Amino acid sequence: MEHGAVTADFLGLTFNLSNVLMITVSSVIVFLIAVLATRTLSMRPGGMQNFLEWVVDFVKGIINSTMDWHTGGRFLALGLTLIMYIFVANMLGLPFAVVVDHNLWWKSPTADPTITLTLAVMVVALSHYYGVRMKGVKEYGAEFFKPMKFLFPLKIIEEFANTLTLGLRLYGNIFAGEMLLGLLVGLTKMGIFAGALGIFPLIVWQGFSVFVGAIQAFIFTMLTMVYLAHKVSHDH
């Protein structure tokens, strides 16, 4: 079950080429879905356009459940991008994995903590940016000392905790799912009897992993909007 990773150094930084590949594949798939769904728009949507409009309405519902639309409408594109990208990224490692010379090339990019924590850091940083932009430095900074000044250290710890839990929750669920799939695939190679026992759990777990991947994309997007609402809304 242990696989290596092909790396490359660039400008003093080390890049995991598998992560680079899978991030690119995920981005291209999401881009193609968006292009195909909006290529021929019509008043009576059907097919891909109907699907994308459903996703847009779903994300609107998430935003409206966390903040008023006047404030949260600007985050529609962000929410739409996150939920589609994370869902696609979660699905890529389910059908198969590609291992070349003991190096894992094809997997879900969200099964790597580097990717999920980077997404989490970007989301939290974006929430601070919009908090300062919409409230001003003085008003936003004062939020860290409310309701009592001695809670300031706890507010700082909370920011780090939010970042860690947001990233590690996604990573843990997707990584654990792919690990179990790998174990079940290994069971099917241990003989006819073991294979017969393992094939049904493998199919069931793959179906369940699709559900988990969808739920994790929803949770990540929902928590992103919650964090943004806490930073930009005046009633939080």
Side-chain angles (χ1 to χ4, degrees), residues 41-75:
L41 297 176
S42 63
M43 295 301 294
R44 285 188 169 182
M48 290 291 290
Q49 182 184 344
N50 196 39
F51 165 74
L52 190 60
E53 288 190 8
W54 176 82
V55 177
V56 170
D57 288 337
F58 184 74
V59 175
K60 283 183 177 179
I62 294 176
I63 295 173
N64 285 326
S65 68
T66 57
M67 65 189 102
D68 64 275
W69 183 250
H70 177 72
T71 302
R74 72 195 72 208
F75 304 124

mmCIF file of all heavy atoms in Angstrom, residues 41-75:
data_model
loop_
_atom_site.group_PDB
_atom_site.id
_atom_site.type_symbol
_atom_site.label_atom_id
_atom_site.label_comp_id
_atom_site.label_asym_id
_atom_site.label_seq_id
_atom_site.Cartn_x
_atom_site.Cartn_y
_atom_site.Cartn_z
ATOM 1 N N LEU A 41 -26.854 28.683 -24.277
ATOM 2 C CA LEU A 41 -27.850 28.983 -23.254
ATOM 3 C C LEU A 41 -29.216 29.182 -23.888
ATOM 4 O O LEU A 41 -29.342 29.729 -24.992
ATOM 5 C CB LEU A 41 -27.439 30.241 -22.485
ATOM 6 C CG LEU A 41 -26.127 30.152 -21.698
ATOM 7 C CD1 LEU A 41 -25.805 31.501 -21.060
ATOM 8 C CD2 LEU A 41 -26.214 29.074 -20.628
ATOM 9 N N SER A 42 -30.247 28.735 -23.182
ATOM 10 C CA SER A 42 -31.612 28.890 -23.670
ATOM 11 C C SER A 42 -32.543 29.169 -22.503
ATOM 12 O O SER A 42 -32.220 28.890 -21.339
ATOM 13 C CB SER A 42 -32.065 27.620 -24.413
ATOM 14 O OG SER A 42 -32.097 26.505 -23.535
ATOM 15 N N MET A 43 -33.704 29.722 -22.818
ATOM 16 C CA MET A 43 -34.690 30.026 -21.780
ATOM 17 C C MET A 43 -35.293 28.761 -21.197
ATOM 18 O O MET A 43 -35.784 28.758 -20.081
ATOM 19 C CB MET A 43 -35.790 30.917 -22.355
ATOM 20 C CG MET A 43 -35.303 32.300 -22.780
ATOM 21 S SD MET A 43 -34.551 33.216 -21.410
ATOM 22 C CE MET A 43 -35.976 33.444 -20.340
ATOM 23 N N ARG A 44 -35.284 27.689 -21.987
ATOM 24 C CA ARG A 44 -35.744 26.381 -21.508
ATOM 25 C C ARG A 44 -34.539 25.473 -21.362
ATOM 26 O O ARG A 44 -34.166 24.760 -22.290
ATOM 27 C CB ARG A 44 -36.755 25.769 -22.476
ATOM 28 C CG ARG A 44 -38.132 26.398 -22.407
ATOM 29 C CD ARG A 44 -39.100 25.597 -23.241
ATOM 30 N NE ARG A 44 -40.475 26.005 -22.993
ATOM 31 C CZ ARG A 44 -41.532 25.437 -23.567
ATOM 32 N NH1 ARG A 44 -41.339 24.431 -24.413
ATOM 33 N NH2 ARG A 44 -42.746 25.851 -23.310
ATOM 34 N N PRO A 45 -33.909 25.510 -20.201
ATOM 35 C CA PRO A 45 -32.661 24.745 -20.044
ATOM 36 C C PRO A 45 -32.897 23.246 -20.084
ATOM 37 O O PRO A 45 -33.942 22.740 -19.673
ATOM 38 C CB PRO A 45 -32.157 25.184 -18.654
ATOM 39 C CG PRO A 45 -33.384 25.600 -17.924
ATOM 40 C CD PRO A 45 -34.284 26.202 -18.957
ATOM 41 N N GLY A 46 -31.910 22.574 -20.581
ATOM 42 C CA GLY A 46 -31.961 21.113 -20.611
ATOM 43 C C GLY A 46 -30.561 20.554 -20.549
ATOM 44 O O GLY A 46 -29.590 21.227 -20.887
ATOM 45 N N GLY A 47 -30.453 19.332 -20.140
ATOM 46 C CA GLY A 47 -29.155 18.674 -20.110
ATOM 47 C C GLY A 47 -28.164 19.339 -19.178
ATOM 48 O O GLY A 47 -28.446 19.585 -18.000
ATOM 49 N N MET A 48 -26.985 19.693 -19.709
ATOM 50 C CA MET A 48 -25.913 20.256 -18.914
ATOM 51 C C MET A 48 -26.282 21.614 -18.324
ATOM 52 O O MET A 48 -25.915 21.918 -17.188
ATOM 53 C CB MET A 48 -24.651 20.383 -19.763
ATOM 54 C CG MET A 48 -23.996 19.059 -20.119
ATOM 55 S SD MET A 48 -23.264 18.257 -18.673
ATOM 56 C CE MET A 48 -21.902 19.356 -18.352
ATOM 57 N N GLN A 49 -27.000 22.433 -19.098
ATOM 58 C CA GLN A 49 -27.390 23.744 -18.576
ATOM 59 C C GLN A 49 -28.319 23.585 -17.378
ATOM 60 O O GLN A 49 -28.201 24.310 -16.378
ATOM 61 C CB GLN A 49 -28.086 24.576 -19.655
ATOM 62 C CG GLN A 49 -28.471 25.978 -19.169
ATOM 63 C CD GLN A 49 -29.239 26.772 -20.196
ATOM 64 O OE1 GLN A 49 -29.251 26.441 -21.379
ATOM 65 N NE2 GLN A 49 -29.912 27.821 -19.753
ATOM 66 N N ASN A 50 -29.237 22.635 -17.471
ATOM 67 C CA ASN A 50 -30.157 22.375 -16.363
ATOM 68 C C ASN A 50 -29.402 21.935 -15.118
ATOM 69 O O ASN A 50 -29.705 22.366 -13.998
ATOM 70 C CB ASN A 50 -31.177 21.311 -16.769
ATOM 71 C CG ASN A 50 -32.369 21.284 -15.843
ATOM 72 O OD1 ASN A 50 -32.862 22.317 -15.402
ATOM 73 N ND2 ASN A 50 -32.831 20.088 -15.541
ATOM 74 N N PHE A 51 -28.380 21.086 -15.315
ATOM 75 C CA PHE A 51 -27.564 20.620 -14.195
ATOM 76 C C PHE A 51 -26.814 21.773 -13.539
ATOM 77 O O PHE A 51 -26.812 21.913 -12.308
ATOM 78 C CB PHE A 51 -26.566 19.564 -14.681
ATOM 79 C CG PHE A 51 -25.454 19.282 -13.708
ATOM 80 C CD1 PHE A 51 -25.687 18.542 -12.565
ATOM 81 C CD2 PHE A 51 -24.175 19.775 -13.939
ATOM 82 C CE1 PHE A 51 -24.666 18.289 -11.660
ATOM 83 C CE2 PHE A 51 -23.149 19.528 -13.036
ATOM 84 C CZ PHE A 51 -23.397 18.780 -11.902
ATOM 85 N N LEU A 52 -26.191 22.627 -14.368
ATOM 86 C CA LEU A 52 -25.412 23.730 -13.816
ATOM 87 C C LEU A 52 -26.318 24.735 -13.097
ATOM 88 O O LEU A 52 -25.935 25.275 -12.049
ATOM 89 C CB LEU A 52 -24.626 24.430 -14.920
ATOM 90 C CG LEU A 52 -23.580 25.441 -14.444
ATOM 91 C CD1 LEU A 52 -22.542 24.767 -13.561
ATOM 92 C CD2 LEU A 52 -22.896 26.126 -15.616
ATOM 93 N N GLU A 53 -27.501 24.977 -13.628
ATOM 94 C CA GLU A 53 -28.430 25.889 -12.965
ATOM 95 C C GLU A 53 -28.871 25.317 -11.616
ATOM 96 O O GLU A 53 -29.068 26.064 -10.648
ATOM 97 C CB GLU A 53 -29.632 26.166 -13.856
ATOM 98 C CG GLU A 53 -29.306 27.044 -15.046
ATOM 99 C CD GLU A 53 -30.541 27.514 -15.788
ATOM 100 O OE1 GLU A 53 -31.665 27.277 -15.289
ATOM 101 O OE2 GLU A 53 -30.397 28.135 -16.860
ATOM 102 N N TRP A 54 -29.007 23.997 -11.559
ATOM 103 C CA TRP A 54 -29.342 23.364 -10.272
ATOM 104 C C TRP A 54 -28.212 23.565 -9.266
ATOM 105 O O TRP A 54 -28.465 23.868 -8.094
ATOM 106 C CB TRP A 54 -29.594 21.872 -10.474
ATOM 107 C CG TRP A 54 -29.852 21.160 -9.179
ATOM 108 C CD1 TRP A 54 -31.020 21.085 -8.484
ATOM 109 C CD2 TRP A 54 -28.873 20.435 -8.400
ATOM 110 N NE1 TRP A 54 -30.837 20.364 -7.322
ATOM 111 C CE2 TRP A 54 -29.538 19.955 -7.250
ATOM 112 C CE3 TRP A 54 -27.519 20.159 -8.577
ATOM 113 C CZ2 TRP A 54 -28.879 19.205 -6.277
ATOM 114 C CZ3 TRP A 54 -26.869 19.417 -7.599
ATOM 115 C CH2 TRP A 54 -27.551 18.946 -6.470
ATOM 116 N N VAL A 55 -26.971 23.400 -9.717
ATOM 117 C CA VAL A 55 -25.824 23.611 -8.830
ATOM 118 C C VAL A 55 -25.777 25.066 -8.363
ATOM 119 O O VAL A 55 -25.517 25.335 -7.183
ATOM 120 C CB VAL A 55 -24.498 23.226 -9.534
ATOM 121 C CG1 VAL A 55 -23.309 23.528 -8.626
ATOM 122 C CG2 VAL A 55 -24.501 21.759 -9.914
ATOM 123 N N VAL A 56 -26.039 26.011 -9.276
ATOM 124 C CA VAL A 56 -26.045 27.425 -8.916
ATOM 125 C C VAL A 56 -27.115 27.694 -7.854
ATOM 126 O O VAL A 56 -26.852 28.388 -6.855
ATOM 127 C CB VAL A 56 -26.295 28.306 -10.157
ATOM 128 C CG1 VAL A 56 -26.544 29.760 -9.750
ATOM 129 C CG2 VAL A 56 -25.100 28.239 -11.107
ATOM 130 N N ASP A 57 -28.307 27.165 -8.043
ATOM 131 C CA ASP A 57 -29.383 27.352 -7.057
ATOM 132 C C ASP A 57 -29.016 26.708 -5.719
ATOM 133 O O ASP A 57 -29.337 27.244 -4.650
ATOM 134 C CB ASP A 57 -30.688 26.748 -7.572
ATOM 135 C CG ASP A 57 -31.292 27.561 -8.707
ATOM 136 O OD1 ASP A 57 -30.974 28.760 -8.808
ATOM 137 O OD2 ASP A 57 -32.078 26.996 -9.493
ATOM 138 N N PHE A 58 -28.327 25.570 -5.783
ATOM 139 C CA PHE A 58 -27.907 24.890 -4.556
ATOM 140 C C PHE A 58 -26.915 25.741 -3.774
ATOM 141 O O PHE A 58 -27.023 25.890 -2.551
ATOM 142 C CB PHE A 58 -27.290 23.538 -4.902
ATOM 143 C CG PHE A 58 -26.903 22.709 -3.709
ATOM 144 C CD1 PHE A 58 -27.881 22.076 -2.946
ATOM 145 C CD2 PHE A 58 -25.576 22.570 -3.348
ATOM 146 C CE1 PHE A 58 -27.527 21.314 -1.844
ATOM 147 C CE2 PHE A 58 -25.213 21.809 -2.248
ATOM 148 C CZ PHE A 58 -26.201 21.178 -1.491
ATOM 149 N N VAL A 59 -25.949 26.328 -4.479
ATOM 150 C CA VAL A 59 -24.954 27.189 -3.834
ATOM 151 C C VAL A 59 -25.621 28.456 -3.305
ATOM 152 O O VAL A 59 -25.271 28.941 -2.218
ATOM 153 C CB VAL A 59 -23.804 27.520 -4.805
ATOM 154 C CG1 VAL A 59 -22.839 28.525 -4.175
ATOM 155 C CG2 VAL A 59 -23.053 26.257 -5.200
ATOM 156 N N LYS A 60 -26.584 28.995 -4.047
ATOM 157 C CA LYS A 60 -27.330 30.155 -3.557
ATOM 158 C C LYS A 60 -28.016 29.837 -2.238
ATOM 159 O O LYS A 60 -28.064 30.671 -1.319
ATOM 160 C CB LYS A 60 -28.371 30.596 -4.589
ATOM 161 C CG LYS A 60 -27.804 31.377 -5.763
ATOM 162 C CD LYS A 60 -28.931 31.833 -6.688
ATOM 163 C CE LYS A 60 -28.407 32.680 -7.832
ATOM 164 N NZ LYS A 60 -29.508 33.104 -8.745
ATOM 165 N N GLY A 61 -28.561 28.633 -2.137
ATOM 166 C CA GLY A 61 -29.199 28.216 -0.890
ATOM 167 C C GLY A 61 -28.218 28.163 0.266
ATOM 168 O O GLY A 61 -28.545 28.542 1.387
ATOM 169 N N ILE A 62 -26.991 27.682 -0.017
ATOM 170 C CA ILE A 62 -25.955 27.647 1.022
ATOM 171 C C ILE A 62 -25.634 29.059 1.498
ATOM 172 O O ILE A 62 -25.535 29.319 2.704
ATOM 173 C CB ILE A 62 -24.686 26.953 0.477
ATOM 174 C CG1 ILE A 62 -24.951 25.473 0.194
ATOM 175 C CG2 ILE A 62 -23.528 27.096 1.482
ATOM 176 C CD1 ILE A 62 -23.773 24.748 -0.446
ATOM 177 N N ILE A 63 -25.469 29.969 0.544
ATOM 178 C CA ILE A 63 -25.124 31.355 0.894
ATOM 179 C C ILE A 63 -26.257 32.004 1.691
ATOM 180 O O ILE A 63 -26.016 32.659 2.714
ATOM 181 C CB ILE A 63 -24.818 32.160 -0.379
ATOM 182 C CG1 ILE A 63 -23.562 31.615 -1.061
ATOM 183 C CG2 ILE A 63 -24.630 33.647 -0.052
ATOM 184 C CD1 ILE A 63 -23.277 32.231 -2.415
ATOM 185 N N ASN A 64 -27.495 31.815 1.236
ATOM 186 C CA ASN A 64 -28.637 32.430 1.918
ATOM 187 C C ASN A 64 -28.843 31.886 3.324
ATOM 188 O O ASN A 64 -29.442 32.556 4.167
ATOM 189 C CB ASN A 64 -29.909 32.226 1.093
ATOM 190 C CG ASN A 64 -29.968 33.123 -0.128
ATOM 191 O OD1 ASN A 64 -29.486 34.257 -0.104
ATOM 192 N ND2 ASN A 64 -30.548 32.618 -1.213
ATOM 193 N N SER A 65 -28.348 30.683 3.578
ATOM 194 C CA SER A 65 -28.493 30.100 4.914
ATOM 195 C C SER A 65 -27.455 30.633 5.894
ATOM 196 O O SER A 65 -27.561 30.393 7.100
ATOM 197 C CB SER A 65 -28.382 28.574 4.840
ATOM 198 O OG SER A 65 -27.067 28.170 4.492
ATOM 199 N N THR A 66 -26.450 31.348 5.380
ATOM 200 C CA THR A 66 -25.380 31.843 6.252
ATOM 201 C C THR A 66 -25.346 33.366 6.357
ATOM 202 O O THR A 66 -24.828 33.903 7.331
ATOM 203 C CB THR A 66 -24.001 31.358 5.755
ATOM 204 O OG1 THR A 66 -23.802 31.778 4.396
ATOM 205 C CG2 THR A 66 -23.918 29.836 5.815
ATOM 206 N N MET A 67 -25.844 34.069 5.324
ATOM 207 C CA MET A 67 -25.813 35.540 5.331
ATOM 208 C C MET A 67 -26.861 36.051 4.352
ATOM 209 O O MET A 67 -27.395 35.289 3.546
ATOM 210 C CB MET A 67 -24.413 36.052 4.973
ATOM 211 C CG MET A 67 -23.959 35.738 3.573
ATOM 212 S SD MET A 67 -22.203 36.114 3.261
ATOM 213 C CE MET A 67 -21.508 34.444 3.361
ATOM 214 N N ASP A 68 -27.158 37.338 4.419
ATOM 215 C CA ASP A 68 -28.120 37.902 3.484
ATOM 216 C C ASP A 68 -27.515 37.967 2.085
ATOM 217 O O ASP A 68 -26.296 38.064 1.920
ATOM 218 C CB ASP A 68 -28.551 39.301 3.944
ATOM 219 C CG ASP A 68 -27.387 40.286 3.948
ATOM 220 O OD1 ASP A 68 -26.640 40.320 4.964
ATOM 221 O OD2 ASP A 68 -27.203 41.002 2.957
ATOM 222 N N TRP A 69 -28.379 37.928 1.066
ATOM 223 C CA TRP A 69 -27.899 37.861 -0.312
ATOM 224 C C TRP A 69 -27.167 39.126 -0.733
ATOM 225 O O TRP A 69 -26.253 39.078 -1.552
ATOM 226 C CB TRP A 69 -29.060 37.585 -1.251
ATOM 227 C CG TRP A 69 -28.620 37.436 -2.677
ATOM 228 C CD1 TRP A 69 -28.848 38.287 -3.716
ATOM 229 C CD2 TRP A 69 -27.833 36.360 -3.216
ATOM 230 N NE1 TRP A 69 -28.263 37.814 -4.862
ATOM 231 C CE2 TRP A 69 -27.634 36.636 -4.591
ATOM 232 C CE3 TRP A 69 -27.280 35.198 -2.669
ATOM 233 C CZ2 TRP A 69 -26.912 35.789 -5.423
ATOM 234 C CZ3 TRP A 69 -26.555 34.359 -3.492
ATOM 235 C CH2 TRP A 69 -26.372 34.658 -4.849
ATOM 236 N N HIS A 70 -27.556 40.260 -0.195
ATOM 237 C CA HIS A 70 -26.888 41.509 -0.536
ATOM 238 C C HIS A 70 -25.402 41.443 -0.182
ATOM 239 O O HIS A 70 -24.543 41.960 -0.904
ATOM 240 C CB HIS A 70 -27.536 42.677 0.205
ATOM 241 C CG HIS A 70 -26.854 43.997 -0.031
ATOM 242 N ND1 HIS A 70 -26.941 44.682 -1.232
ATOM 243 C CD2 HIS A 70 -26.038 44.749 0.774
ATOM 244 C CE1 HIS A 70 -26.227 45.793 -1.153
ATOM 245 N NE2 HIS A 70 -25.667 45.856 0.048
ATOM 246 N N THR A 71 -25.097 40.786 0.938
ATOM 247 C CA THR A 71 -23.697 40.622 1.354
ATOM 248 C C THR A 71 -23.050 39.426 0.682
ATOM 249 O O THR A 71 -21.917 39.488 0.218
ATOM 250 C CB THR A 71 -23.609 40.455 2.883
ATOM 251 O OG1 THR A 71 -24.199 41.586 3.521
ATOM 252 C CG2 THR A 71 -22.169 40.303 3.330
ATOM 253 N N GLY A 72 -23.790 38.319 0.622
ATOM 254 C CA GLY A 72 -23.195 37.063 0.171
ATOM 255 C C GLY A 72 -23.230 36.801 -1.318
ATOM 256 O O GLY A 72 -22.564 35.877 -1.793
ATOM 257 N N GLY A 73 -23.994 37.614 -2.076
ATOM 258 C CA GLY A 73 -24.094 37.369 -3.509
ATOM 259 C C GLY A 73 -22.761 37.410 -4.222
ATOM 260 O O GLY A 73 -22.547 36.703 -5.208
ATOM 261 N N ARG A 74 -21.848 38.207 -3.718
ATOM 262 C CA ARG A 74 -20.524 38.328 -4.349
ATOM 263 C C ARG A 74 -19.703 37.043 -4.221
ATOM 264 O O ARG A 74 -18.684 36.877 -4.910
ATOM 265 C CB ARG A 74 -19.775 39.490 -3.714
ATOM 266 C CG ARG A 74 -19.285 39.248 -2.291
ATOM 267 C CD ARG A 74 -18.875 40.534 -1.615
ATOM 268 N NE ARG A 74 -20.039 41.355 -1.292
ATOM 269 C CZ ARG A 74 -20.008 42.671 -1.214
ATOM 270 N NH1 ARG A 74 -18.888 43.313 -1.452
ATOM 271 N NH2 ARG A 74 -21.098 43.345 -0.909
ATOM 272 N N PHE A 75 -20.124 36.132 -3.334
ATOM 273 C CA PHE A 75 -19.375 34.888 -3.132
ATOM 274 C C PHE A 75 -19.954 33.713 -3.920
ATOM 275 O O PHE A 75 -19.526 32.569 -3.725
ATOM 276 C CB PHE A 75 -19.345 34.534 -1.647
ATOM 277 C CG PHE A 75 -18.792 35.616 -0.773
ATOM 278 C CD1 PHE A 75 -19.527 36.116 0.290
ATOM 279 C CD2 PHE A 75 -17.539 36.153 -1.015
ATOM 280 C CE1 PHE A 75 -19.032 37.120 1.101
ATOM 281 C CE2 PHE A 75 -17.023 37.166 -0.220
ATOM 282 C CZ PHE A 75 -17.780 37.646 0.845
#
